[in-house]
């Protein structure tokens, strides 16, 4: 099979966010720093994208189609030389609707809830499929005005 683990699968914004997405904030993704590196006083560095070498930014997003509260807040990573700027908020609100360009999905196994067998217990696997989202950029939602009645 030509699809290997960690593959970034292309997806449209409307497929991933069918009811839209709202930006809450943007911040740099920092590289993991070991205790030894911290003890040496080494500065924390920003993560770079493995494919492009660009800096990686984390965009915190509310998925308006989420069925559960716990699934409503997701992160979309954007590789860019400078911090991406979220669209302007709708006047009088803090709501920032957004459309992501070049969206990709990378499936992965979230096995944090998987319990091994202890003292004769059966293995209980509550692992689930997780998704890592990346985009090449973001832009404001363009609202199409309704045609005026004649």
């Amino acid at each position: 099979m030509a699809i290997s683990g960690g593959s970034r699968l292309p997806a449209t914004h409307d497929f991933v966010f069918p009811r839209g997405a709202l930006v809450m904030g943007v911040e740099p993704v920092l590289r993991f720093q070991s205790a030894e590196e911290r003890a040496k006083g080494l500065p924390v560095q920003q993560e770079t994208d493995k494919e492009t070498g660009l800096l990686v930014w984390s965009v915190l997003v509310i998925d308006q189609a989420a069925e559960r509260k716990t699934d409503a807040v997701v992160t979309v990573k954007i590789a860019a030389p400078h911090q991406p700027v979220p669209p302007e908020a709708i006047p009088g609100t803090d709501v920032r609707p957004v459309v992501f360009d070049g969206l990709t999905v990378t499936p992965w196994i979230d096995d944090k809830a998987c319990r091994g067998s202890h003292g004769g217990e059966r293995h209980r696997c509550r692992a689930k499929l997780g998704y890592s989202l990346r985009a090449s950029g973001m832009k404001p939602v363009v609202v199409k005005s309704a045609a005026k009645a004649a």
Side-chain angles (χ1 to χ4, degrees), residues 30-50:
L30 303 178
R31 281 190 184 144
F32 173 78
Q33 192 175 40
S34 68
E36 184 178 303
E37 291 170 330
R38 285 191 304 270
K40 289 180 183 177
L42 296 176
V44 179
Q45 295 182 340
Q46 189 169 350
E47 188 175 307
T48 55
D49 184 70
K50 293 174 186 170

Side-chain angles (χ1 to χ4, degrees), residues 27-111:
E27 59 185 39
V29 176
L30 303 178
R31 281 190 184 144
F32 173 78
Q33 192 175 40
S34 68
E36 184 178 303
E37 291 170 330
R38 285 191 304 270
K40 289 180 183 177
L42 296 176
V44 179
Q45 295 182 340
Q46 189 169 350
E47 188 175 307
T48 55
D49 184 70
K50 293 174 186 170
E51 292 181 8
T52 64
L54 296 172
L55 297 174
V56 179
W57 305 89
S58 176
V59 181
L60 198 58
V61 176
I62 296 176
D63 178 1
Q64 296 188 105
E67 294 176 4
R68 297 181 298 174
K69 281 185 192 180
T70 56
D71 296 334
V73 178
V74 297
T75 300
V76 177
K77 292 181 180 177
I78 296 178
H82 304 288
Q83 183 169 347
V85 178
E88 291 294 320
I90 294 173
T93 71
D94 290 334
V95 177
R96 298 172 183 270
V98 69
V99 173
F100 290 101
D101 290 324
L103 200 57
T104 63
V105 177
T106 304
W108 58 282
I109 301 293
D110 180 359
D111 60 358

